[in-house]
Amino acid sequence: MSRDALFRQAAEALGFAPDGEIKAGGNYVPVLRDGSTLYLSGQVPRIGNAVVITGRAGIQVALEQAQRAAKICTLRALALLQRELGSLNDVRQILRLTVYVQCSPDFTQHSEVADAASGLLQQILGPAGVHTRTSVGVYQLPKNATVELDLIASAR
């Protein structure tokens, strides 16, 4: 199965329309390309116009829901890459992933939240989805999102 087909399948499973509008929430661009390197702005778990998973992991949001949020953020990032490149087959490598988790002071499962994003990247892109990563807990995120992630990728 092609990367684009795997992406569509994963998006459908999470209720994300990969061809829907992906809005920038301010004075910036969602993707910036410098040669073969693509920098993606932070993505929150927005489907359509709604941020679908909000609140603090460890208090209002269970680990499983935070992981779902990370997957939706990942799908948004992949949709941006697909639009920029024409196909996910043109992703050479995901170089870097940063995952921010809005959480309670005692929440320590940031890596488990980020694992959901990492796993989805590898499921769809195969070896090209293997990356370096940082996951951090934060006090607040835009629109009260539980998760925000950004990434850097290289293109063929």
Side-chain angles (χ1 to χ4, degrees):
M1 191 177 288
S2 75
R3 290 176 178 177
D4 293 317
L6 289 168
F7 169 66
R8 279 191 303 280
Q9 185 179 62
E12 287 172 11
L14 286 169
F16 176 75
D19 50 357
E21 183 180 7
I22 297 181
K23 300 177 183 178
N27 190 20
Y28 62 91
V29 294
V31 180
L32 185 64
R33 186 170 185 167
D34 182 21
S36 64
T37 305
L38 297 106
Y39 299 87
L40 274 69
S41 295
Q43 300 299 309
V44 297
R46 183 187 311 262
I47 297 178
N49 289 323
V51 177
V52 295
I53 301 172
T54 59
R56 293 190 187 290
I59 297 177
Q60 298 114 340
V61 179
L63 174 62
E64 295 75 22
Q65 281 300 99
Q67 290 170 324
R68 182 173 186 271
K71 288 180 179 181
I72 294 168
C73 295
T74 303
L75 291 171
R76 288 174 55 89
L78 287 170
L80 289 168
L81 286 173
Q82 186 181 53
R83 291 172 191 188
E84 180 70 22
L85 299 173
S87 171
L88 291 175
N89 291 326
D90 290 332
V91 174
R92 187 171 59 80
Q93 191 70 52
I94 301 298
L95 302 171
R96 179 92 177 141
L97 176 68
T98 306
V99 179
Y100 305 91
V101 182
Q102 180 189 187
C103 60
S104 64
D106 60 342
F107 185 82
T108 61
Q109 295 177 294
H110 312 96
S111 291
E112 287 86 342
V113 173
D115 282 344
S118 295
L120 188 57
L121 286 168
Q122 292 173 38
Q123 173 189 329
I124 293 170
L125 300 175
V130 176
H131 51 271
T132 64
R133 183 180 87 188
T134 297
S135 57
V136 295
V138 298
Y139 182 71
Q140 279 186 323
L141 288 171
K143 310 295 184 208
N144 195 31
T146 302
V147 176
E148 181 174 14
L149 63 78
D150 63 42
L151 61 81
I152 302 169
S154 65
R156 296 188 197 283

